[in-house]
């Protein structure tokens, strides 16, 4: 008789709704992939050149070049992460430190240093080429703030602080469930986080909504983090299916509340827009102007 396959890492019937809801959890692939990883691997042959008989000066130049190239790779990766965070937000400040541009400069200096022993001053040519190719491949850092036009600076700073704290809370939730080895729970937490970030974007677009959403971004989100940590502690010691299902149901309920709050803010903004349009039409009518 046929028997359904199952195991530790196989989803059961209760997981189907979460798998079908959002197969990839709303995640996007990071651009810090193969190309950036290659930057860490490419300089490694310099280790061999340290011991190729170039003397102390050759050893020192190779070591210096290796350090600059590895630092350039690390700065490039961090710059890509910073830009992805910048792109994900409707309102965002430019990175305080231009990591990718500095990575490009270090890349050029590292290539020039690596070739100096053999090429002399002519090594500046591969250095300049390295800077140009780096910027062409990875682009520059964002150079200006995004979405600040017409927004009160004080209000926006308040929103930025609250959103940053909330993002830290979401990061703790992700780290907590990462070690459980349960892909369904991880995907469910990612779904919940995507819903929470939709509320982030709503508040960033209109900072006046912060007062109405503050309880969700602080009290409720902190409660979700605490519940996640307590569940992880229990589930690590005893793989209780009942506790697991209760946690998933808790996230369902909480996500519904966050979704409802986002929809309410959108509805309120539409109502405000309708009122402003009606007031404008009445004013035009009083001045003898006709509107369609």
């Amino acid at each position: 008789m046929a028997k359904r396959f199952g195991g530790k890492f196989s989803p059961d019937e209760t997981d189907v709704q979460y798998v079908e809801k959002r197969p990839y959890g709303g995640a996007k692939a990071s651009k810090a992939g193969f190309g950036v990883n290659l930057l860490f691997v490419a300089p490694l042959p310099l280790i061999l050149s340290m011991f190729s008989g170039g003397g102390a000066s050759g050893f020192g130049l190779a070591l210096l070049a290796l350090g600059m190239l590895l630092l350039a790779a690390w700065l490039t990766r961090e710059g890509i992460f910073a830009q992805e965070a910048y792109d994900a937000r409707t309102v965002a400040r430019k990175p305080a430190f231009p990591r990718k541009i500095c990575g490009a400069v270090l890349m050029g200096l590292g290539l020039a240093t690596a070739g100096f022993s053999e090429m002399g001053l002519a090594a500046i040519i591969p250095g300049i080429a390295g800077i140009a190719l780096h910027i062409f491949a990875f682009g520059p850092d964002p150079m200006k703030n995004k979405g600040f036009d017409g927004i009160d600076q004080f209000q926006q700073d308040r929103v930025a602080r609250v959103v940053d704290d909330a993002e830290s809370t979401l990061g703790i939730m992700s780290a907590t469930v990462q070690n459980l080895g349960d892909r369904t729970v991880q995907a469910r937490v990612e779904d919940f986080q995507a819903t929470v970030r939709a509320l982030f974007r709503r508040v960033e677009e209109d900072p006046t909504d912060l007062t109405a959403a503050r309880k969700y971004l602080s009290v409720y989100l902190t409660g979700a983090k605490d519940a996640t940590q307590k569940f992880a502690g229990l589930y690590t010691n005893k793989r209780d299916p009942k506790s697991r299902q209760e946690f998933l149901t808790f996230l369902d309920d909480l996500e519904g509340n966050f979704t409802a709050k986002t929809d309410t803010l959108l509805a309120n903004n539409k109502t405000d827009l309708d009122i402003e349009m009606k007031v404008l039409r009445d004013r035009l009518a009083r001045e003898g102007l006709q509107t369609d």
Side-chain angles (χ1 to χ4, degrees), residues 19-259:
V19 174
E20 291 179 347
K21 179 179 180 182
R22 192 180 299 153
Y24 302 100
K28 294 182 179 180
S30 173
K31 296 179 181 179
F34 176 78
V36 176
N37 292 332
L38 188 61
L39 294 180
F40 286 94
V41 177
L44 296 183
L46 286 173
I47 298 176
L48 299 178
S49 68
M50 295 179 189
F51 307 97
S52 61
S57 61
F59 180 89
L61 287 174
L63 181 61
L64 180 60
L66 178 63
M68 287 192 291
L69 291 173
L70 291 178
L71 180 57
W74 179 77
L75 284 173
T76 301
R77 184 180 64 183
E78 294 301 310
I80 291 175
F81 289 152
Q83 181 163 11
E84 288 175 345
Y86 174 91
D87 292 338
R89 291 192 176 188
T90 305
V91 180
R93 296 185 183 279
K94 64 181 180 181
F97 179 67
R99 299 172 181 84
K100 289 198 290 182
I101 292 176
C102 290
V105 173
L106 278 174
M107 179 67 65
L109 291 175
L111 292 175
T113 303
F116 183 78
S117 297
E118 300 292 334
M119 303 174 62
L121 293 178
I124 194 174
I125 297 176
I128 294 175
I131 295 175
L133 290 174
H134 186 285
I135 294 178
F136 176 78
F138 302 106
D141 301 272
M143 301 305 293
K144 62 180 182 179
N145 297 331
K146 179 176 68 172
F148 279 81
D149 296 339
I151 296 179
D152 180 76
Q153 188 66 47
F154 175 75
Q155 292 289 344
Q156 191 56 51
D157 288 341
R158 291 179 59 216
V159 170
R161 287 194 296 269
V162 173
V163 171
D164 287 343
D165 291 342
E167 281 286 1
S168 298
T169 302
L170 293 182
I172 294 174
M173 290 182 64
S174 295
T176 300
V177 300
Q178 193 69 33
N179 298 324
L180 294 180
D182 192 316
R183 290 180 293 177
T184 298
V185 172
Q186 293 175 15
R188 188 65 195 87
V189 170
E190 290 174 359
D191 283 341
F192 170 71
Q193 292 177 337
T195 300
V196 174
R197 289 190 174 100
L199 183 58
F200 291 173
R201 304 293 87 82
R202 177 66 258 160
V203 175
E204 286 175 339
E205 290 173 359
D206 188 354
T208 59
D209 289 335
L210 177 60
T211 301
R214 181 181 287 275
K215 183 181 293 185
Y216 287 80
L217 300 182
S218 56
V219 178
Y220 294 166
L221 203 54
T222 300
K225 179 204 68 175
D226 294 341
T228 302
Q229 291 175 325
K230 291 179 180 178
F231 161 74
L234 292 173
Y235 197 63
T236 299
N237 297 325
K238 182 180 179 182
R239 297 271 169 168
D240 183 11
K242 182 179 179 181
S243 298
R244 178 178 182 270
Q245 186 56 45
E246 288 177 351
F247 177 68
L248 294 176
T249 302
F250 163 75
L251 288 182
D252 286 340
D253 296 340
L254 193 58
E255 182 178 14
N257 290 330
F258 272 84
T259 300

Side-chain angles (χ1 to χ4, degrees), residues 202 260-274:
R202 177 66 258 160
K261 188 60 180 178
T262 303
D263 293 341
T264 299
L265 295 178
L266 288 171
N268 289 341
N269 288 341
K270 184 179 183 302
T271 300
D272 292 341
L273 176 61
D274 292 339

